[in-house]
Every structure is written in structure tokens, then in C-alpha cells.
């Protein structure tokens, strides 16, 4: 057996093995896991004297571990494993084996896992001397604890693994595991923790000059265990003395290069000691006892952190460890101060400690390395929260805290600055830049906290920083470090966010607050100091961002607009690609907001950027396989260049369309931009028809540019505000030519996806400038955009556009929609009928289904339903039955609840519009039904205005088609009533039932009673209860009734086995066959009240169930449904039972 296992492992792990043999080997090893005796063979393989290969032993131990972990061994077998394993460990790790024969680290880890599993299983009962056995491995012949290297290393590995298994708080565990772990920890505290602490002391003392590896492992174990053992076992002179020595040592290690790891581990141990959960007074006493302020001061003054701070040899690992210790200690002191129940002496002592630690907080917060700074941010965040709480409680910040606030703000501002070694936008430093920007976001939160404590201090400090920088810039004629100017602009940008958050920058040309006034002063200084002329790209980008973000400033100070616009004109022509592309977008934002202020300079601005409007399409470059370093702010691909260029076309439209520009000038500007694009389309059209790919891309870009130009000329959005007028008629005439040019290109190249996409883009933007003039051209747009090549996604997108058109022009579109509806829907039907070939196709089909239904719903909601049944267009009538069939199909789709919901909503809307006037008063369904004559107004006007028409025969159509569909989905066995979307469908079904009843009244009730319910084999009592609820409940109550009916806890289904009809019930919470009860059909139970739950256990016989049914029948069936104390469910032979109330 041993040889078989060895052979199987070697084959399975040999990369050159035959795949068939490898499969057999894996099957054999998997079978070994379930073999009752397999673990014994594997244990022997792992521990025998003649050792097999490492991989064989590793797999053998894994099988043993799996067996123990799955609790497949009883106590006797576990004892057998323990004895054999311990015998092996004593032989190998007890000093009887040469050093070179000790197991490698990976096998030691595997043995450690086995030992830990045995500890979990046997420590409480069966292996009480666990720790004694492993301590014995650490003692050589002289008896000194911790004197044998191999045994000590294994001992420390085991302690570390035990902590991870029973005390690691980061691991999610079951309640049973938590209980077991707590019991084990209690046993350790009682039995062995004292001897363990003593062993750590002896190990640290003995190995201090012998092995840094052992020291580091011991320190890590100590740091882990301190969180759940008595702190007095650690905080005592015997153990602290070696700790202090290790913290303060430098270059004393015997293993070169490892002394820093030991020292850092010792510091981390102190961090864990300080972080141990304790009562506030006890924690403060320990901090004072440890003299943490003095320890940190000595570490901060050590050469690695002081003398070498600004040199390449600065010890960042040591700085990181000390920063974490500072942060942990400060957090605990702050937490003590936040405790309201502490006495004055404790609070005063805590404040003294905080004052002593404050310089260390600032020292490491302002460290050059951002990782070290980040270590301190948690404690600084809590400190500022303490300040805010203190200021709010006392009305003013205490003097001690107030003296700390200004240095904190200064330190935050200092860290906001790029350091001296950083360079901007270098490809090799993109990751560093991203990390720095992330740090800035965290620092911004701290600044906001400072402002919340003392807004005046924050305002004055930022004003001084920004003002002094601009003054220096102006005095030195631009000779200033770009990092200083970048800091000022960044702080100004952040300051502005707080200044304008309450009410904007100005109110009636006056600053809304003191902060807004200071921001206006900064804006003035920024423009007047010549910041825009500073040559560094980072400054130019910041300048533009600020001008756009706070452009309300220029509405009041319009004298600066020409100067700023001149700067923007320079930026849009910049040589730096990142500046140029970003400036095109920001330029558009700037002129769009301020276009009413541009006045006579519009023509100059347009002429200045005219050279940038030339479009030169390029084909995308092939992927070179390199790393993708693009980002939103630094994307220089072909698509990014053109997409940014589009902002310039929109900017031209914004500038040209202001009221200050005469209409003749607007026409001139529009023609000056569109004419070259017309010519370009005409030039490339012939080549594009022959398949020239670059020509197709060129025409695509031209069409996109024309559409974007149109968007700039009008702020009017389809379906949006109606108080924004369309452009003048002469301007619209220009865009009629634009529409014609795009349609010609589309008709010639409609097989191209790119051209269709560009045309659809332009169509959506031309609506704003053409208004209703675009309606006569809709058939041409549909013919081009819904070609044979169009994808389902394109159809869905275009249907969304048409919904906007219908909503926006509902009073003018009727005739045109009447003529184009049939060809439009025929193309949609063709798209719906196409087979799907993958997940993406299925997603697109589902989207097309929903948009098709939404389009029909928009038609009905805007009183245009007559086009669906138009007598003027026979084609519309011919497709009506297909239209209804598709809606029925989607309504019954069990796999797509959202589409089903829309379909049922459509049926309700059709019933409302074409079912004639309501003959049931919807405001009070309990009133007698309105007579047909009354509903038609021959005798008495109905209480609710009736505006709907009645289609001949539509009442029967609703009853026989719509109502039938409304039962098919909920009665489907796969219908999941617990799904939230499914419940929405039920709500629509309920609404449809109510709508049909409102239109047809007793005719509908009669059909349900005499035709439909008998077909479902529904019991008479149940049927009458359903009909009574439909008749007397208002819409809200009925919907709740219907929803609860679908939320049944009893599933009732038909059994057609040739015998007497029966209904099957499965009780909630039981899904096995024993829970099934069979009741004869003769017992048509009306109610199951709460008492039946005890009467019908899972073992109830049919006879007992029948007896229970008789008891149930004694419930008053005439009681109003809304007041009946139902807690379970109604019974019926129907597969769709009805529930007035949610079952308990």
C-alpha cells in the first residue's frame, strides 16, 4: 500500500506524466481520502524512519489532516495518531537527529497543522500535557528551556498556529466554534499560560546573541497571544527587560541584515501590548508604566530615524513600526479622554500623555514617506473628532487642544504638497501619483474636520497660504517652484468646495458667506497674478479646473472673462497632450456657462479655435500587447482624441447661439462649421461605398461632429423643460441641411454599424434644433437605422429615442406615427424572432423586449392608442393580432419578470382605454354597479368622468384573452413568489383583474364562475370568496389580497391519477414526502385558522386531516375578509390558492 501511494503521488505531481495515468493517480488519491484505513498508511508514510520524497509526505499529511478535521476518528484513533506523531517529533526535533535531516519549512508547516488539529481535539480531554511535551523539545541535555534550535522553532510554529486557530478575530467562525475556542482559551489560562510566559522569557534571553530567527518568531508569538492572556504575564520586569533591550539594539545581531527585523518585531510587540483591550484607567496606568513616550522619543532620536531622515539610507521599516506604535498609543489615550465616566485625575493624566505624544504624532504624520504618514491618520482623525466634541460641548475649544489645532492644520497642508523628488505625469511614476492623489483625499477629510472645529482658523490659514503664494508669484515674475503653486491652487479648489456648499458663491451679486468672499478674493488674485502663464502643465490644468468649477465668479466679475478666455485659447492649442485634451472639455464647460457674457468676442473666439475643427480620422492602432496605462485623465488613444474634439464643436454651438449674437451671425457661424463637414462627407462617400475603412471612420466622425454642433445650438431636451425655446427658424434651416446630409450618408452606408451609430447619435441631438420639423423625416430615419444589419441593441436604443419623440411631440406626431407604425413594428418583430447565440445576445433580446413594450406603453400613455387600431392604415390592423400575441408571450415568460410586469401593465392600459367607460364605480366598488345606460350617460352621469371609448367586442376580448393570460404566469410551478420582481408582476396581474372587472362588471364575474374556475377545478367556496373579494375590495385592498394569495406557505397542486380528485399540501418548513397530506375533494375547506397548525403535524393521516377540515368549515364563511383572523391559508383544489392575510 505504501508503494502504491508513493507511486500515485509521484505520477500525479510529475508534469511529464501521461494524462491518463495522472487521472488514474488522482482518482486513487481521492479514493484514499474516504478509505477508513487510508489515514493509517499515510501517517506511517509521513513519520517513518526511511523518509519518502517531500511531496509524498506532504500529501500523506494532508490526508491525515483531512481525516482529523472531518472528525472521522474516535478518541482512541486520535490517541494513536498523537503517540506516533509525538514519537516522530521527539526523534527528529528533540536533538537526536542531525541538523541537515530536519524537515524543510513546508513540511514543518504541515506537521504544525496536524499538531494544531490534534490540540483542538484532545487538549481538553486526552492530551493535557500538550505544552509540556513541546516544551520538552526545546530543552537540550543541559535542561535550559529554549536551548534546542529545531525544537524551539517547531514549538513557536505550533504556538502561532494555535493562536490563529482559536483566537484570530479576523476569521469568521460558527457559534459552535467560538464556544469551543473560548473553552480552550480558558483551559490554557488555567493550566499552562504561566509556563508559556516563562518559556518566552527564557527564549528571549538565551537566543538574544544566538539566533535572530528565533527572536523574531518568539516576539511575534508574544504579540499575538498578549491579546487574550493576563497582561501581568507580559508587563513585568522579567519579560520587559529583554524587550527593551531588543527595541533599543542596533547592529548587535549575530545574523547580518536581520537585526532590523528583530527590533521592528519588538516594536510591533509593544504595539500589540498597548492595543490590548483594558479598562481606561488600567490602560492609562500601563502606558505610564511602560513609559511609552520616552521609548518613542529615544527611537525617534536614533540615527536611523534622525540622522538619516533625509538620506537614501533612511530606515523606512523602522519608521513604519514606530509610527504604528505612536498611532496605537495615541488612539488609546484619545479613547480614554472620550470616556465620560473617568474621574478628573485620570482625565488630567490622559491629557498630559496626549500633550507628550503630540510632537510624535506630528513627527510621523509629516514624514516624507506617505505610507508612514498614513499610519498616523487614524489617530489624528480621532483626535480631531475629540476636539469637535469638546468645542461643541463647551462652546469653545479648550486651550490645550486649541494650541494643537493650528500645528495640525499646518502639517496637513504640508503633506498636501508634492515632495521634492516627485515629478508630474511621468509614465514611470503613474502609480506613485495615483497613491498621492488618494492620500490627498484622506488629507482633505482631515482639513474638513479642522474646519468643523474652527472655521475661522481654517479660512484664515488657507487664505494666507494661497494669498502669499500668488503674491510671491507676482513679485518674482513666475519664478516659483511649481509644487508651491500647485499646493496653493489645490487648497484653493478644496476651500471653494466648502465655500459654495451652502447656497453657492453669490446671491444677488453678493458673496453668500465669509468663505465665499475669501474665495472671490483668491480668484481675483489668481487671475491678476498671471497664474495662467505659468509653464508647468499641472498648474495650467489646475487653473482651468478652478475657473470652470467656480465660473459663477466671472458672472459678477465679467471684466476677467476676456483674459481667461485668452488663456483657454492658448491651452486648447497646447503641445502637452494631456493639457490639450482636458482643456477642450473644460473650454466647452466654461463658455457654455458664460455664453451670455461673451457678447462681441464670440466671433473672435470661434475664429481662434477654427483650426482645431478639422477632422482627420485614424484607424485604431493594433494592440501591441503592452500594459494598458491609460486612465480617464491620461487617455491619448485615437478615440479619446476625437471624443475630446467633439467638445470644441459643442463649444462653437454654445458661443454662436447666445442672444447677444444676431441671427445672421448665428447662421454664418453654423454654416462655417457645417459646410466643410458636408464637403468632407461628399468627398469620402464614394470611397466608403467601396469598403474603404478609413473613409467610413471619417464620415462617422463628420456625422458625430454635426450632431454635437447641433447640441451646442440648443439646450432644449426632448421631454424636458418647455420654457426653453428652439433656435430661430433661419438657424433651424441650417440644420435641415445637416439632417439631409446625414440621411444621405446613412442611406448609402446603412449596412455599416459605425455609420448607423453616428446617425443615431446625430438624430437624438437634431431633435432639439429641428423640433417638430424632424417628424416628416422619421420614415427615412427608421429605414436607415433599423436596417437588416441592425443589432437588437441598436433597435432597443432607437426605440428609446422614439419614446422621447412621441412624448415630446404627442400633439403633432399622430398622423406620422399612424403611417410608420406598421413598418417599424415589423422590423422589431423580425429582431425579436431572431435566434440568440450566447449570453450577450440574450441580454440584448431582453432589452429589446422591454423597449418594445415600453414604446407601446408610451403610445398609450400619451393618448395615441388609436394608431394601434387605425382604420386609416389597414396594415396597423393587420399587425394588431401579432402585437397582442407578442405581449401575451412576454407576459407569460417565467424567466423575465421585468418584461412580464410591463406586458401586464400594457394589458391594463389597453383595457382602460379601449374597454369603454367604467360600469363599476372605481372610487367606491362597494356601491351597486352602474347600469349600461347610466354608464353611457343616457339617464344619469357617472360620478367619475368617463373619457375612454369602447371598441366593439373588446369587452369579450379582455375577458377571454387578457384574463386567461393573467392566470397562466402565477399558476406556473416555476413561478417564484418570494422573488421581489415576481411580486411586482403579481401586483400588475391584480391591477389587470380589477381593470377588466371595472369595464365589464358582472359579465366578468359570471365568466369566471361558470367558465374559468370550473376549468381550474376550483372549489365553489373558494371561487365565491375570490369573486366576492374582487367585487367589494377597493384597488389597494384587492392588490394586497392578491399578493398575499401568491405568498402562500402551502403549495397546492392537482393530482390526476384517475381516482377521486385530491389536493396535496406541503406544510411550510417541511419539504419531505412525510409532510404531504391528501384531502378528498368533498372537503372544500374555507379557512385554516391558527389552531390548525397544532392539529396537522407532519405525520397526520388523511382521516385526521379530513376531521380537521370539518372543524375548519365551522369558521364563519360570511365574515368580512378584511377582519377575519387568518394566520395560515385558504385551501382549494386550485393550484393558485387565495390568501387574504400573510401566514404567520
Amino acid at each position: 500500500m505504501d508503494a502504491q501511494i508513493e507511486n500515485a503521488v509521484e505520477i500525479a505531481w510529475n508534469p511529464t506524466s501521461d494524462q491518463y495515468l495522472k487521472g488514474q493517480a488522482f482518482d486513487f488519491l481521492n479514493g484514499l481520502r474516504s478509505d477508513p484505513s487510508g489515514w493509517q498508511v499515510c501517517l506511517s508514510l509521513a513519520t517513518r524512519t526511511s523518509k519518502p520524497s517531500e511531496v509524498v509526505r506532504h500529501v500523506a499529511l494532508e490526508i491525515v489532516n483531512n481525516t482529523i478535521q472531518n472528525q472521522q476518528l474516535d478518541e482512541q484513533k486520535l490517541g494513536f495518531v498523537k503517540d506516533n506523531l509525538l514519537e516522530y517529533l521527539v526523534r527528529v526535533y528533540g536533538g537526536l537527529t542531525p541538523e541537515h535531516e530536519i524537515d524543510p519549512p513546508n513540511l514543518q508547516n504541515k506537521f504544525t497543522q496536524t499538531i494544531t488539529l490534534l490540540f483542538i481535539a484532545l487538549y481538553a480531554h486526552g492530551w493535557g500535557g500538550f505544552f509540556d511535551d513541546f516544551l520538552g523539545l526545546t530543552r537540550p541535555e543541559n535542561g535550559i528551556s529554549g536551548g534546542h534550535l529545531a525544537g524551539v522553532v517547531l514549538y513557536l510554529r505550533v504556538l502561532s498556529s494555535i493562536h490563529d486557530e482559536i483566537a484570530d478575530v479576523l476569521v469568521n467562525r460558527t457559534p459552535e466554534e467560538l464556544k469551543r475556542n473560548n473553552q480552550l482559551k480558558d483551559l490554557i489560562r488555567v493550566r499552562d499560560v504561566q509556563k508559556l510566559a516563562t518559556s518566552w522569557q527564557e527564549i528571549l534571553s538565551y537566543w538574544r546573541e544566538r539566533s535572530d530567527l528565533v527572536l523574531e518568531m518568539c516576539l511575534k508569538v508574544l504579540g499575538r497571544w498578549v491579546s487574550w492572556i493576563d497582561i501581568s504575564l507580559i508587563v513585568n520586569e522579567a519579560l520587559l527587560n529583554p524587550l527593551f533591550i531588543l527595541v533599543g539594539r542596533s547592529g548587535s545581531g549575530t545574523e547580518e541584515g536581520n537585526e532590523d527585523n528583530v527590533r521592528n518585531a519588538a516594536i510591533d510587540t509593544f504595539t500589540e501590548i498597548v492595543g490590548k483591550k483594558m479598562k481606561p484607567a488600567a490602560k492609562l496606568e500601563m502606558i505610564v508604566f511602560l513609559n511609552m513616550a520616552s521609548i518613542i522619543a529615544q527611537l525617534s532620536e536614533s540615527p536611523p530615524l534622525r540622522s538619516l531622515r533625509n538620506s537614501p539610507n533612511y530606515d523606512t521599516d523602522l519608521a513604519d513600526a514606530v509610527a504604528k506604535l505612536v498611532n496605537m498609543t495615541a488612539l488609546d489615550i484619545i479613547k480614554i479622554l472620550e470616556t465620560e465616566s473617568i474621574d478628573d485625575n485620570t482625565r488630567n493624566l490622559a491629557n498630559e500623555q496626549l500633550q507628550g505624544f503630540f510632537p510624535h504624532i506630528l513627527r510621523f504624520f509629516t514624514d516624507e514617506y506617505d505610507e508612514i504618514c498614513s499610519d498616523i491618520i487614524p489617530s489624528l482623525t480621532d483626535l480631531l473628532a475629540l476636539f469637535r466634541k469638546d468645542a461643541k460641548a463647551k462652546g469653545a475649544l479648550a486651550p490645550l487642544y486649541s494650541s494643537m489645532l493650528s500645528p495640525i492644520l499646518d502639517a496637513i497642508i504640508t503633506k498636501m504638497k508634492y515632495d521634492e523628488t516627485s515629478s508630474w505625469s511621468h509614465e514611470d511614476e503613474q502609480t506613485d501619483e495615483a497613491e498621492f492623489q488618494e492620500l490627498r483625499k484622506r488629507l482633505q477629510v482631515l482639513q474638513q474636520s479642522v474646519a468643523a472645529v474652527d472655521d475661522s482658523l481654517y479660512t484664515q490659514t488657507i487664505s494666507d497660504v494661497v494669498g502669499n503664494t500668488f503674491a510671491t508669484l507676482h513679485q518674482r515674475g513666475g519664478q516659483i517652484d511649481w509644487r508651491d503653486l500647485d499646493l496653493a491652487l489645490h487648497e484653493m479648489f478644496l476651500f471653494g468646495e466648502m465655500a459654495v456648499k451652502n447656497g453657492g458663491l453669490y446671491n444677488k451679486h453678493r458673496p453668500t458667506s465669509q468663505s465665499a468672499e475669501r474665495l472671490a478674493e483668491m480668484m481675483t488674485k489668481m487671475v491678476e497674478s498671471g497664474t495662467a502663464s505659468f509653464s508647468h502643465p499641472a498648474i495650467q490644468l489646475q487653473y482651468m479646473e478652478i475657473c470652470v468649477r467656480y465660473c459663477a465668479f466671472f458672472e459678477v466679475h465679467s471684466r476677467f472673462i476676456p483674459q481667461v478666455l485668452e488663456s483657454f485659447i492658448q491651452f486648447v492649442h497646447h503641445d502637452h497632450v494631456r493639457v490639450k485634451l482636458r482643456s477642450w472639455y473644460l473650454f466647452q464647460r466654461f463658455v457654455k456657462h458664460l455664453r451670455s457674457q461673451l457678447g462681441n468676442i464670440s466671433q473672435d473666439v470661434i475664429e481662434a479655435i477654427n483650426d482645431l475643427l478639422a477632422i482627420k480620422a485614424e484607424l485604431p492602432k493594433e494592440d501591441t500587447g503592452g500594459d494598458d496605462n491609460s486612465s480617464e485623465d491620461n487617455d491619448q488613444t485615437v478615440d479619446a482624441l476625437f471624443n475630446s474634439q467633439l467638445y470644441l464643436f459643442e463649444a462653437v454651438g454654445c458661443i454662436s447661439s447666445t442672444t447677444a449674437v444676431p441671427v445672421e451671425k448665428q447662421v454664418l457661424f453654423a454654416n462655417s462649421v457645417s459646410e466643410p463637414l458636408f464637403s468632407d462627407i461628399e468627398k469620402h462617400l464614394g470611397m466608403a461605398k467601396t469598403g474603404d475603412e478609413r473613409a467610413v471612420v471619417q464620415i462617422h466622425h463628420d456625422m458625430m461632429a454635426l450632431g454635437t454642433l447641433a447640441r451646442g445650438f440648443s439646450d432644449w431636451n426632448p421631454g424636458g423643460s418647455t420654457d426653453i425655446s428652439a433656435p430661430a427658424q433661419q438657424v433651424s434651416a441650417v440644420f435641415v441641411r445637416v439632417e439631409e446630409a446625414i440621411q444621405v450618408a446613412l442611406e448609402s452606408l446603412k449596412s455599416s454599424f459605425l455609420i448607423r451609430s453616428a446617425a443615431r447619435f446625430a438624430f437624438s441631438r437634431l431633435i432639439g434644433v429641428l423640433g417638430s420639423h424632424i417628424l416628416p423625416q422619421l420614415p427615412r430615419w427608421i429605414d436607415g437605422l433599423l436596417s437588416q444589419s441592425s443589432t437588437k441593441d441598436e433597435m432597443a436604443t432607437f426605440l428609446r429615442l422614439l419614446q422621447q419623440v412621441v412624448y415630446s411631440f404627442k400633439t403633432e406626431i399622430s398622423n406620422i406615427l399612424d403611417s410608420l407604425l406598421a413598418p417599424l413594428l415589423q422590423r422589431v418583430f423580425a429582431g425579436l424572432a431572431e435566434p440568440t447565440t450566447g449570453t450577450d445576445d440574450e441580454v440584448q433580446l431582453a432589452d429589446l423586449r422591454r423597449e418594445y413594450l415600453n414604446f407601446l406603453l408610451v403610445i398609450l400613455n400619451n393618448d395615441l392608442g388609436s394608431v394601434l387600431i387605425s382604420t386609416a392604415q389597414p396594415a396597423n390592423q393587420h399587425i394588431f393580432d401579432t402585437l397582442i400575441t407578442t405581449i401575451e408571450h412576454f407576459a407569460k415568460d417565467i424567466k423575465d419578470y421585468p418584461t412580464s410586469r410591463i406586458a401586464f401593465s400594457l394589458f391594463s392600459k389597453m383595457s382602460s382605454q379601449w374597454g369603454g367607460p367604467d360600469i363599476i364605480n372605481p372610487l367606491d366598488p362597494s356601491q351597486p354597479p352602474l347600469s349600461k345606460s347610466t354608464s353611457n350617460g343616457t339617464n344619469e352621469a357617472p360620478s367619475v368622468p368617463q373619457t375612454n371609448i369602447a371598441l366593439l367586442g373588446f369587452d369579450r376580448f379582455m375577458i377571454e384573452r387578457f384574463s386567461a393570460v393573467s392566470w397562466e404566469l402565477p399558476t406556473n410551478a416555476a413561478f417564484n413568489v418570494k422573488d421581489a420582481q415576481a411580486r411586482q408582476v403579481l401586483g400588475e396581474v391584480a391591477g389587470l383583474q380589477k381593470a377588466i372587472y371595472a369595464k365589464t362588471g358582472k359579465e366578468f364575474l359570471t365568466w369566471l364562475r361558470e367558465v374559468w374556475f370550473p376549468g381550474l377545478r376550483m372549489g365553489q367556496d373558494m371561487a365565491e370568496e375570490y369573486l366576492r373579494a374582487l367585487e367589494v375590495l377597493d384597488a389597494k385592498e384587492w392588490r394586497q389580497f392578491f399578493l398575499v394569495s401568491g405568498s402562500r406557505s402551502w403549495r397546492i397542486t392537482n393530482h390526476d391519477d384517475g381516482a377521486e380528485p385530491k389536493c396535496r399540501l406541503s406544510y411550510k418548513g417541511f419539504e419531505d414526502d412525510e409532510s404531504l397530506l391528501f384531502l378528498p375533494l368533498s372537503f372544500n375547506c374555507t379557512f385554516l385558522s391558527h389552531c390548525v397548525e397544532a392539529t396537522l403535524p407532519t405525520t397526520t393521516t388523511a382521516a385526521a386531516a379530513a376531521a380537521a377540515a370539518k372543524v375548519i368549515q365551522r369558521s364563519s364563511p360570511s365574515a368580512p375578509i378584511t377582519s377575519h383572523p387568518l394566520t395560515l391559508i385558504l385551501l382549494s383544489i386550485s393550484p393558485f390558492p387565495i390568501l387574504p392575510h400573510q401566514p404567520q
Side-chain angles (χ1 to χ4, degrees), residues 175 232 241 403 534 678 682 814 901:
S232 64
N241 283 339
S403 63
F534 198 85
F678 294 159
E682 184 178 3
S814 178
R901 180 183 60 80

Side-chain angles (χ1 to χ4, degrees), residues 177-433:
E177 290 174 333
L178 289 172
K179 180 180 179 181
R180 177 205 67 190
N181 293 345
N182 288 333
Q183 290 173 345
L184 289 173
K185 286 189 287 187
D186 288 341
L187 280 175
I188 293 173
R189 294 185 187 107
V190 172
R191 292 178 180 177
D192 297 305
V193 72
Q194 181 67 57
K195 67 182 71 170
L196 295 180
T198 303
S199 73
W200 298 333
Q201 172 196 337
E202 293 175 352
I203 290 172
L204 292 177
S205 299
Y206 181 84
W207 292 98
R208 192 174 69 212
E209 304 294 337
R210 290 177 172 84
S211 174
D212 284 356
L213 171 64
V214 172
L215 292 176
E216 186 178 352
M217 291 182 68
C218 185
L219 289 169
K220 289 182 177 179
V221 168
L222 199 157
R224 292 179 179 183
W225 281 60
V226 71
S227 63
W228 55 278
I229 64 176
D230 190 342
I231 191 63
S232 64
L233 296 172
I234 306 297
V235 182
N236 58 69
E237 185 177 354
L239 197 49
L240 287 178
N241 283 339
L243 278 178
F244 286 135
I245 293 173
L246 295 176
V247 166
R249 85 176 207 172
S250 59
S252 60
T254 60
E255 298 172 17
E256 185 176 355
N258 288 337
E259 62 271 19
D260 289 341
N261 291 337
V262 173
R263 179 193 55 202
N264 296 343
I267 297 171
D268 290 340
T269 302
F270 271 112
T271 303
E272 295 297 333
I273 292 172
V274 173
K276 180 177 174 63
K277 293 182 179 179
M278 300 170 64
K279 293 182 178 180
K283 174 61 69 70
L284 185 60
E285 182 181 355
M286 183 181 71
I287 292 173
V288 174
F289 174 77
L290 293 175
N291 200 8
M292 295 306 303
S294 176
I295 295 175
I296 294 171
Q298 293 177 28
L299 289 169
S300 300
E301 293 297 320
S302 65
L305 296 187
R306 182 175 176 83
S307 305
L308 303 177
R309 180 171 181 180
N310 297 316
S311 73
N313 296 322
Y314 181 56
D315 194 338
T316 54
D317 290 337
L318 175 60
D320 183 62
V322 178
K324 289 176 179 177
L325 177 58
V326 172
N327 181 68
M328 181 60 70
T329 310
L331 281 172
D332 279 326
I333 295 173
I334 295 166
K335 190 178 296 184
I336 293 169
L337 289 169
E338 289 176 339
T339 306
E340 297 181 358
S341 59
I342 60 173
D343 56 52
D344 292 340
N345 292 334
T346 303
R347 186 175 301 278
N348 293 336
L349 183 57
N351 277 321
E352 289 178 13
Q353 290 294 313
L354 176 62
Q355 193 170 13
F357 265 87
F358 184 67
H360 304 309
I361 294 174
L362 292 184
R363 153 66 181 87
F364 290 98
F365 178 72
T366 56
D367 194 277
E368 178 184 358
Y369 289 88
D370 295 341
E371 298 85 354
I372 298 169
C373 167
S374 298
D375 291 335
I376 300 295
I377 288 179
S379 60
L380 205 53
T381 301
D382 283 7
L383 181 60
L384 290 172
L386 174 67
F387 290 174
R388 185 175 183 178
K389 182 179 179 181
D390 182 76
K392 184 177 180 180
K394 300 177 181 177
L397 195 61
L400 172 63
Y401 299 157
S402 181
S403 63
M404 299 179 185
L405 193 60
S406 182
I408 290 175
L409 180 57
D410 293 339
I412 295 171
I413 295 172
T414 300
K415 285 303 298 180
M416 285 279 193
K417 181 181 174 181
Y418 279 96
D419 61 51
E420 299 299 326
T421 61
S422 62
S423 55
W424 184 85
S425 194
H426 282 207
E427 205 169 302
D428 296 338
E429 298 188 3
Q430 286 186 1
T431 301
D432 292 340
E433 169 124 3

Side-chain angles (χ1 to χ4, degrees), residues 46 184 206 294 304 345 414 557 570 582 690 698 728 843 854 856 882 902 996 1006 1024 1042 1061 1123 1132 1136:
L184 289 173
Y206 181 84
S294 176
N345 292 334
T414 300
H557 303 274
Q570 294 174 1
R582 184 62 178 169
T690 64
Q698 182 72 31
V843 171
N854 279 323
L856 297 177
T882 305
I902 302 173
I996 296 173
T1006 301
E1024 291 302 322
F1042 203 85
S1123 63
S1132 169
F1136 185 58

Side-chain angles (χ1 to χ4, degrees), residues 1040-1061:
Q1040 181 63 25
F1041 178 94
F1042 203 85
L1043 283 175
V1044 176
S1045 300
S1047 302
R1048 57 195 181 279
S1049 297
W1050 299 72
R1051 178 62 61 91
I1052 304 177
T1053 56
N1054 287 326
H1055 277 270
D1056 188 8
D1057 54 5
E1060 181 183 5

Side-chain angles (χ1 to χ4, degrees), residues 116 119 157-171 173 181 185 188 220-228 272:
T116 304
F119 169 84
R157 284 183 187 274
V158 170
L159 292 184
S160 181
S161 177
I162 288 174
H163 166 84
D164 293 342
E165 184 63 31
I166 69 173
D168 191 340
V169 296
L170 298 180
V171 179
R173 307 182 193 279
N181 293 345
K185 286 189 287 187
I188 293 173
K220 289 182 177 179
V221 168
L222 199 157
R224 292 179 179 183
W225 281 60
V226 71
S227 63
W228 55 278
E272 295 297 333

